[in-house]
Amino acid sequence: MRILVIEDEVRLAASLQRGLSATGYTVDVAHDGITGLHLAREFAYSAVILDIMLPGLNGYRICDRLRAEGNDVPVLMLTAKSGVHDEAEGLDTGADDYLVKPFSYVVLEARLRALLRRGGSRTPAVLESGDLWLDPARRTCGRKETAIALTPKEFGVLESLLRRAGDVATKLDLLEEVWSADFTGDPNIVQVYISAVRRKIDVPFGTESIETVRGEGYRIRASFCQV
């Protein structure tokens, strides 16, 4: 899942990015409202963590504009302000939840998981193809009743493929969604992780569910091949 953090406190934003990335999310960060709004419009995020007091454009206005444009991305608002009127204003502009600073990271992550579970069409409860299933909110995966342990990056690669329902994901698609929009490393890292995912979801079960489309990318097969 790809999360956008819009927060002008650089240390807090970096801390959230490290924590969420370690959990397995792909995290983009903006330190001002104008950049944050641009990113929220440009990419399909699973959720936005949005500070209220931002330079350029405050969180209330960002949320209000996204909702006016029909963007239903789940929004968790952060603020140093407290009081029922501030919370009401945030919720009235279309935010889904509200957290007052200072907050516990454990609580933030729990709130985020709750948003993702009820995030509507943008975040289906469970992604499935044949007997292969993946639960984005609970970060679990398996075949039938057998759980499969994946690393955060492996989980992200498989999730990106399953979300496409058989359409091809290019290397660039996977780099942007699983690593970040500004990834500058070797793009062949995608092949390394595709191989790792295959070893876990296919080899032990005698299947070939990830297809390499030569010159294009990868996709989940419409029906699994037995090997």
Side-chain angles (χ1 to χ4, degrees):
M1 284 187 178
R2 191 171 187 174
I3 307 296
L4 174 61
V5 174
I6 310 176
E7 169 60 65
D8 65 328
E9 293 182 38
V10 176
R11 291 180 63 183
L12 175 57
S15 177
L16 290 174
Q17 185 174 37
R18 285 194 302 271
L20 293 171
S21 297
T23 305
Y25 299 102
T26 301
V27 184
D28 294 337
V29 173
H31 296 300
D32 65 85
I34 293 173
T35 302
L37 179 60
H38 169 73
L39 289 174
R41 286 168 165 167
E42 187 73 15
F43 299 101
Y45 290 101
S46 298
V48 175
I49 298 174
L50 175 63
D51 188 26
I52 290 180
M53 304 302 291
L54 293 164
L57 199 65
N58 69 40
Y60 295 135
R61 294 176 66 189
I62 292 172
C63 192
D64 188 54
R65 291 189 187 185
L66 290 175
R67 298 305 187 232
E69 295 166 4
N71 190 328
D72 63 350
V73 60
V75 172
L76 172 60
M77 273 194 169
L78 305 179
T79 182
K81 303 169 69 176
S82 62
V84 294
H85 295 295
D86 298 320
E87 182 174 356
E89 185 174 358
L91 297 175
D92 284 345
T93 59
D96 298 276
D97 202 356
Y98 188 98
L99 199 56
V100 177
K101 300 175 184 177
F103 53 82
S104 160
Y105 176 78
V106 173
V107 172
L108 179 139
E109 193 176 342
R111 296 277 190 94
L112 180 59
R113 288 196 301 269
L115 283 185
L116 295 172
R117 284 196 296 270
R118 61 178 188 262
S121 60
R122 188 176 293 276
T123 54
V126 178
L127 301 170
E128 296 179 304
S129 184
D131 65 355
L132 177 66
W133 56 268
L134 181 147
D135 187 329
R138 293 179 172 83
R139 314 299 293 172
T140 53
C141 168
R143 283 193 183 277
K144 295 184 179 178
E145 292 80 24
T146 303
I148 300 172
L150 300 176
T151 69
K153 284 290 189 289
E154 291 167 354
F155 192 96
V157 167
L158 182 57
E159 179 183 355
S160 292
L161 294 174
L162 285 170
R163 284 189 183 281
R164 283 175 165 76
D167 292 336
V168 174
T170 67
K171 279 187 181 180
L172 181 59
D173 290 332
L174 293 171
L175 287 172
E176 287 187 346
E177 294 175 12
V178 182
W179 279 261
S180 70
D182 57 356
F183 178 78
T184 57
D186 185 349
N188 288 326
I189 192 68
V190 172
Q191 294 170 241
V192 174
Y193 276 89
I194 288 289
S195 296
V197 173
R198 282 172 167 154
R199 286 195 298 271
K200 292 185 177 182
I201 70 167
D202 282 337
V203 173
F205 303 93
T207 61
E208 291 183 356
S209 53
I210 300 177
E211 177 183 9
T212 299
V213 182
R214 190 174 298 277
E216 296 185 46
Y218 307 92
R219 68 182 169 202
I220 297 292
R221 293 180 185 272
S223 58
F224 299 147
C225 296
Q226 297 294 322
V227 295

